[in-house]
Amino acid sequence: MDSVLVSACLRGVPCRYDGRDKASPRLDEAVAGREVVSFCPEAAGGLPTPRRPAELVGGDGHDVLDGTARVVEDTGRDVTAAFVAGARRALAAARHGGCTEALMMPRSPSCGRGAVYDGSFGGELVAGDGVTAALLERNGIAVRNAPGV
């Protein structure tokens, strides 16, 4: 059976930074007939729920993986190590589940694909990928933003 990795918040797990979920009825249509591996990289990286908002500073997730950008909370605390650890655990879960695709939470500093917040905490978006999305892509897993979110 075809397997897909899905951001856990999109499956109704209250693991977002604000302690809520982002369940999407359109996601159910997108994963119909497939085995779903639900995963929250931020929780897997050791961050609590709820937690401070975090954004990418100095680049996107690819830059974080290359060591030239960071993930920081709105307080200025560096949480890069937790994001990278969570991304590695997400990759391991995807491999273990036989996932060839991931449907992720748009704009997230972990899961976002194609656009992420710019690091100013002002709601502005820039082109780029989250840390987990970047790692999955680098390892041959197709990453898409989940529909309807």
Side-chain angles (χ1 to χ4, degrees):
M1 178 180 278
D2 188 26
S3 298
V4 59
L5 183 77
V6 177
S7 298
C9 62
L10 298 171
R11 299 290 290 168
V13 177
C15 57
R16 285 174 35 92
Y17 76 95
D18 59 6
R20 298 187 305 183
D21 68 60
K22 257 316 211 194
S24 168
R26 288 193 48 212
L27 179 70
D28 292 338
E29 297 169 19
V31 300
R34 302 171 79 184
E35 178 145 347
V36 174
V37 176
S38 294
F39 200 86
C40 177
E42 294 172 27
L47 296 172
T49 302
R51 56 189 164 274
R52 301 298 312 170
E55 293 188 7
L56 299 159
V57 174
D60 76 345
H62 293 280
D63 299 312
V64 169
L65 295 172
D66 293 339
T68 60
R70 301 176 303 127
V71 186
V72 298
E73 294 179 335
D74 62 350
T75 61
R77 186 181 100 156
D78 189 316
V79 289
T80 304
F83 274 72
V84 171
R88 289 182 179 143
R89 290 184 178 115
L91 175 60
R95 286 180 169 161
H96 184 262
C99 301
T100 57
E101 182 182 15
L103 293 174
M104 309 295 276
M105 178 65 200
R107 302 172 300 280
S108 160
S110 288
C111 302
R113 171 75 176 99
V116 291
Y117 291 107
D118 70 355
S120 69
F121 296 92
E124 296 297 318
L125 295 171
V126 294
D129 299 322
V131 179
T132 298
L135 187 63
L136 294 173
E137 289 172 4
R138 286 182 175 193
N139 285 274
I141 297 171
V143 178
R144 294 188 303 130
N145 288 321
V149 186

